C-alpha cells in the first residue's frame, strides 16, 4: 500500500530521532509524494527505531514506512540494504497510518541487527539531549585528563570532599544516567564555565 504526502525529518542511522515538536527549519525535512507502507510487528518496529540494521528483502524503493497500529517510522536504505536514514512522522500522519494498518496483514522483514543501540530516552527536549550528551562527554574527559578538576566539580555538586577520582566519576555518572533534572542543569552551568 502507498501513502501520499508524508513529511519526514531524516536523521542519520545512528542519530536520535526528533519528535515533530522539535523540528526546525534547518533540519533535513522532505515532503515525500508517495511512499510504501509495510505493517510489521512490535519487535521489528523497535529494532528499526532503536538499532542499526541491514534489511535483506526485495524492494522497489529504498524508502518506505514501517508501522504497527500505534507507531510509524520512515526508513531509507542504501543500495546494499543498510539503514541510512530514518524519521518519525507527524502526529496526524501516524494516526492516519494507524487506522490503515488495522486492515493490513503483518509482514516479516528479513533483517539483521548490526549494532544494538541504547534505547532512546523519551521525554527530553532536543536542547536537554544535547546538554546531556555534552555533560557525559565532558565528565569523561575530566576523568581521563583532569581528575583534579573532576574532584573540584564533585565538591561543588555534593558539598563534600572526595579524594578518589574513580568514585567521584562513578557517582556523577550514576546521577546523570536518567532524565534531565536540576542536577543536570547545575552541572552543565559548572562545566560550561570551565
Amino acid at each position: 500500500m502507498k501513502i501520499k504526502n508524508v513529511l519526514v525529518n531524516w536523521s542519520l542511522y545512528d542519530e536520535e530521532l526528533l519528535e515533530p515538536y522539535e523540528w526546525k527549519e534547518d533540519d533535513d525535512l522532505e515532503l515525500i509524494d508517495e511512499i510504501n507502507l509495510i505493517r510489521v510487528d512490535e519487535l521489528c518496529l523497535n529494532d528499526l527505531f532503536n538499532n542499526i540494521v541491514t534489511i535483506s528483502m526485495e524492494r522497489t524503493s529504498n524508502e518506505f514506512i514501517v508501522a504497527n497500529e500505534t507507531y510509524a517510522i520512515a526508513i531509507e536504505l542504501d543500495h546494499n540494504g543498510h539503514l541510512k536514514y530514518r524519521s518519525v512522522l507527524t502526529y496526524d500522519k501516524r494516526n492516519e497510518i494507524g487506522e490503515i494498518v488495522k486492515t493490513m496483514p503483518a509482514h516479516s522483514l528479513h533483517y539483521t541487527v548490526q549494532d544494538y543501540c541504547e534505547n532512546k530516552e523519551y521525554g527530553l527536549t532536543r536542547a536537554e539531549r544535547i546538554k546531556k550528551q555534552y555533560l557525559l562527554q565532558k565528565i569523561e574527559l575530566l576523568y581521563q585528563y583532569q581528575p583534579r578538576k573532576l574532584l573540584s566539580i564533585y565538591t561543588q555538586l555534593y558539598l563534600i570532599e572526595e579524594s578518589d577520582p574513580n568514585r567521584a566519576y562513578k557517582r556523577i555518572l550514576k546521577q546523570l544516567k536518567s532524565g534531565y533534572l536540576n542536577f543536570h542543569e547545575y552541572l552543565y552551568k559548572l562545566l560550561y564555565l570551565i
Side-chain angles (χ1 to χ4, degrees):
M1 164 163 272
K2 295 205 181 265
I3 301 294
K4 295 186 181 295
N5 300 321
V6 178
L7 183 63
V8 295
N9 184 10
W10 293 121
S11 296
L12 282 171
Y13 66 94
D14 60 349
E15 291 178 338
E16 183 130 14
L17 297 170
L18 298 172
E19 289 294 333
Y21 65 86
E22 298 179 290
W23 293 2
K24 295 181 180 178
E25 287 181 24
D26 61 345
D27 286 344
D28 192 6
L29 299 172
E30 179 184 354
L31 180 63
I32 301 173
D33 294 330
E34 190 173 81
I35 188 169
N36 284 325
L37 172 64
I38 303 169
R39 181 179 180 167
V40 295
D41 63 27
E42 192 170 335
L43 175 63
C44 178
L45 189 62
N46 183 61
D47 280 338
L48 293 172
F49 185 84
N50 288 305
N51 301 312
I52 299 171
V53 302
T54 300
I55 298 177
S56 55
M57 61 179 244
E58 300 262 338
R59 57 190 180 279
T60 56
S61 172
N62 285 345
E63 294 179 349
F64 53 91
I65 293 172
V66 291
N68 61 20
E69 292 179 21
T70 57
Y71 209 79
I73 59 172
I75 300 288
E76 183 178 331
L77 305 174
D78 68 12
H79 63 282
N80 292 320
H82 301 294
L83 180 64
K84 185 175 175 185
Y85 297 107
R86 57 186 155 199
S87 173
V88 300
L89 306 178
T90 58
Y91 301 116
D92 59 333
K93 196 53 80 172
R94 286 184 215 175
N95 291 336
E96 176 188 330
I97 289 171
E99 291 301 314
I100 292 170
V101 297
K102 287 179 181 177
T103 63
M104 296 174 64
H107 285 37
S108 293
L109 288 184
H110 301 287
Y111 65 94
T112 305
V113 176
Q114 302 298 324
D115 192 13
Y116 288 93
C117 302
E118 290 186 29
N119 286 339
K120 309 298 185 255
E121 191 166 0
Y122 298 104
L124 300 184
T125 65
R126 174 187 269 195
E128 289 169 342
R129 280 194 303 274
I130 290 169
K131 285 180 177 180
K132 189 170 180 177
Q133 185 177 23
Y134 170 82
L135 290 174
L136 293 168
Q137 290 172 347
K138 188 74 170 182
I139 290 297
E140 179 71 30
L141 289 172
L142 288 175
Y143 175 64
Q144 289 180 9
Y145 301 109
Q146 296 177 306
R148 286 188 182 171
K149 278 196 178 181
L150 177 67
L151 292 173
S152 172
I153 293 291
Y154 181 91
T155 301
Q156 292 175 61
L157 286 171
Y158 297 105
L159 303 176
I160 57 172
E161 299 252 346
E162 175 61 67
S163 59
D164 183 4
N166 190 40
R167 274 199 306 261
Y169 171 73
K170 286 180 179 179
R171 183 169 183 199
I172 293 171
L173 275 188
K174 184 177 180 184
Q175 200 152 359
L176 286 177
K177 191 165 186 149
S178 60
Y180 192 87
L181 308 168
N182 290 339
F183 175 85
H184 294 79
E185 192 62 31
Y186 180 61
L187 180 58
Y188 181 78
K189 287 178 181 173
L190 286 175
L191 292 176
Y192 198 74
L193 297 174
I194 292 179

